[in-house]
Amino acid sequence: MFAAGSARVIMVAVAVGAGAPKPGAGQTGAGRLEERVISVSDTAQKYALYLPPEYTPDRKWPILFVLDPRARAVFALKLFQDAAANLGWVVMSSYNSMSDTFPDPNEQALETMLRSAQERLSIDRSRLYLAGFSGTARAVLRFAVPLRGHIAGVIAVGGALGFEMDGPETVFAGDSAFAYFGAAGTRDFNYEEVLAMADRFGTMHVPFRLAVFDGPHSWPPPDLCGEAMEWLELRAMRGRLRATDPAWVRVRLQHDLARATKLELLGHSDEALRLYEGVARDYPPSPETSKAAERAGVLHSTPAVERYRKEASKLAEKDREQAGELQKTFRWARSLPDPPTPESLVEKLRIAKLKKTAEHGDSLQAASAKRLLARIFAELAFYEPRTYIAQHSPNRALAMLEAATRIGPLEGASCALLQAALRAAPQEQQPGLKGQCAPAQGETAS
């Protein structure tokens, strides 16, 4: 089995590509979804399971293990379900995976699913895939290392790892049988780290694909999740983990080329360049891939792309600087004898200036400002108040939460933190928090 902490893998390898189903071939019906399966080996562990329409135990099937950072097993699984049906993949998604918790439950969640998959299902042990978002994106990148030889790819959304000598980009250097699909929303506060990780995989000659979608810090929409799985299927063929289906590859090649051409026509030259480069890397040599490589070379030297990349590099540096400055500001807040006023926090964090840039800056500057605001909001609305509540400092938690409302409304976990802080400081008056997390008409507060 697998233990991430000791980097130990005990799995029986099977013949590479044995019994590999054809992508999309003969797939009918919806397959089978079991929304809540209790592990036999550990009844505290539960997962959702999807079997594709033609699943039978007489051949080996690729499998995707999904770790959602808020244990939303079925929600996360359904993002991948349609593509799994078309490609013939099994999907398992944990109810025990989480991020931002201690101790980290993700190793046990994955261990349990791996054990159940081997005992219950007929899986291709050379084609295990992992998918995670945010904190669990970092987890699956770490878990890929001890699973080398069995793990064929990772889908890591909205989260990445810093460079380490034993990190996945160095462990899998030059390995064509492993592939990294990274994705981030345009307003994701982890956007820059995802791009940096993709660059490092490329530098180390590891197959990679980077996708950017219009959105915040979140899972991508189902069509992009499906695109990730299709790309991993393509890389399995290129890495000789399964038989190549030339007709399927050609259809996908034409799809990618058409998308790159459309991006170029719409003026999204940098995105088009990135896709042309991906086409040239990912597909077997052909006149089409040669043209893609040629077009990438032309775009790379255009003044518009050069200006874009120079500006993007400056904004990436600003992102790194803000990450350090944020921690200095919060250390300052902790050093004060009394909680800082929300107004002082707003001023020190330059929230007004960032909001102005987000509304009136050019497309690159506005997107960067939105990401920086999103990072500040996450700290003010979740991480800092959570720490203060644990330290029995509800007044400080409330100051952070009120400052967060200058960026956006409190929702979800932030509302739970607000309620906890208000209960612990019943005499505290926070007029700026009035109306936050109020139940909708006809509802009652929980």
Side-chain angles (χ1 to χ4, degrees):
M1 299 309 295
F2 161 62
S6 59
R8 177 172 57 90
V9 181
I10 305 174
M11 297 185 74
V12 180
V14 297
V16 171
K22 247 185 157 184
Q27 299 290 354
T28 59
R32 190 169 91 234
L33 173 63
E34 297 181 38
E35 293 199 357
R36 188 172 291 270
V37 181
I38 299 174
S39 168
V40 174
S41 59
D42 182 353
T43 56
Q45 295 284 327
K46 302 175 180 64
Y47 56 86
L49 170 67
Y50 174 75
L51 300 177
E54 291 191 338
Y55 177 84
T56 60
D58 59 358
R59 69 185 189 197
K60 304 299 181 183
W61 300 79
I63 182 167
L64 174 68
F65 299 98
V66 182
L67 299 175
D68 179 76
R70 293 293 177 263
R72 300 166 298 181
V74 174
F75 166 79
L77 184 150
K78 287 187 175 181
L79 295 171
F80 300 94
Q81 184 173 329
D82 287 348
N86 290 329
L87 295 171
W89 286 30
V90 175
V91 184
M92 278 185 168
S93 183
S94 176
Y95 281 100
N96 298 86
S97 57
M98 291 290 287
S99 68
D100 305 314
T101 60
F102 183 82
D104 186 343
N106 295 304
E107 180 180 332
Q108 185 59 41
L110 180 58
E111 170 78 23
T112 299
M113 291 193 292
L114 280 165
R115 184 185 300 275
S116 296
Q118 291 181 98
E119 293 174 350
R120 175 176 179 177
L121 302 170
S122 179
I123 60 170
D124 183 343
R125 294 187 177 104
S126 68
R127 291 192 63 196
L128 309 183
Y129 298 93
L130 308 177
F133 159 56
S134 191
T136 57
R138 298 186 181 97
V140 299
L141 285 163
R142 289 196 306 271
F143 295 159
V145 172
L147 278 170
R148 186 176 184 183
H150 304 282
I151 190 74
V154 164
I155 301 170
V157 179
L161 299 175
F163 176 76
E164 296 177 356
M165 285 304 297
D166 57 352
E169 67 268 51
T170 54
V171 170
F172 289 100
D175 188 346
S176 63
F178 174 82
Y180 163 80
F181 189 99
T186 53
R187 302 188 301 280
D188 191 331
F189 47 80
N190 289 334
Y191 173 92
E192 295 293 353
E193 69 180 55
V194 173
L195 268 62
M197 179 124 236
D199 284 345
R200 294 203 304 274
F201 273 116
T203 299
M204 302 303 290
H205 305 289
V206 179
F208 77 96
R209 179 67 71 93
L210 174 68
V212 174
F213 60 95
D214 183 19
H217 184 63
S218 67
W219 283 106
D223 60 341
L224 185 52
C225 291
E227 179 187 320
M229 293 176 70
E230 288 182 358
W231 180 76
L232 290 169
E233 188 76 29
L234 171 67
R235 288 307 322 178
M237 296 178 193
R238 296 285 285 147
R240 300 183 179 181
L241 296 177
R242 57 144 300 153
T244 298
D245 180 348
W248 184 86
V249 171
R250 183 154 193 83
V251 168
R252 201 179 187 287
L253 171 60
Q254 295 304 322
H255 170 76
D256 274 354
L257 286 171
R259 201 153 54 88
T261 301
K262 183 177 180 180
L263 286 167
E264 191 176 352
L265 289 172
L266 292 171
H268 303 307
S269 299
D270 192 67
E271 291 179 68
L273 167 59
R274 192 159 55 225
L275 188 50
Y276 280 129
E277 289 175 335
V279 167
R281 285 193 307 267
D282 294 327
Y283 290 92
S286 70
E288 289 94 340
T289 56
S290 295
K291 288 179 181 177
E294 180 182 342
R295 193 63 204 150
V298 170
L299 286 175
H300 197 277
S301 60
T302 60
V305 168
E306 288 180 355
R307 285 194 301 271
Y308 178 96
R309 296 208 159 179
K310 186 178 290 186
E311 180 66 16
S313 178
K314 289 179 182 176
L315 293 172
E317 180 60 31
K318 182 184 276 189
D319 181 279
R320 288 189 287 272
E321 289 174 359
Q322 190 221 35
E325 289 298 320
L326 266 183
Q327 297 314 310
K328 289 181 183 178
T329 299
F330 291 127
R331 284 197 294 273
W332 163 80
R334 293 179 203 119
S335 70
L336 298 176
D338 296 310
T341 65
E343 289 74 19
S344 64
L345 285 167
V346 168
E347 182 179 356
K348 276 191 166 290
L349 295 169
R350 300 170 189 165
I351 289 173
K353 183 178 179 180
L354 286 170
K355 290 178 76 172
K356 184 176 179 179
T357 304
E359 293 173 8
H360 303 295
D362 65 30
S363 58
L364 264 179
Q365 292 171 341
S368 175
K370 289 174 183 176
R371 292 192 290 271
L372 299 183
L373 283 168
R375 175 184 288 148
I376 294 170
F377 184 81
E379 293 288 347
L380 290 172
F382 181 73
Y383 292 105
E384 288 296 304
R386 184 183 65 167
T387 298
Y388 282 130
I389 289 170
Q391 295 172 349
H392 306 290
S393 300
N395 292 354
R396 292 179 180 271
L398 289 168
M400 298 292 152
L401 290 163
E402 184 173 350
T405 65
R406 309 300 167 85
I407 300 174
L410 303 180
E411 298 175 338
S414 299
C415 289
L417 291 170
L418 173 59
Q419 291 168 5
L422 289 172
R423 284 195 299 269
Q427 302 304 315
E428 187 70 17
Q429 296 298 312
Q430 292 287 336
L433 292 169
K434 285 182 178 178
Q436 291 291 323
C437 305
Q441 189 173 4
E443 296 179 348
T444 57
S446 57

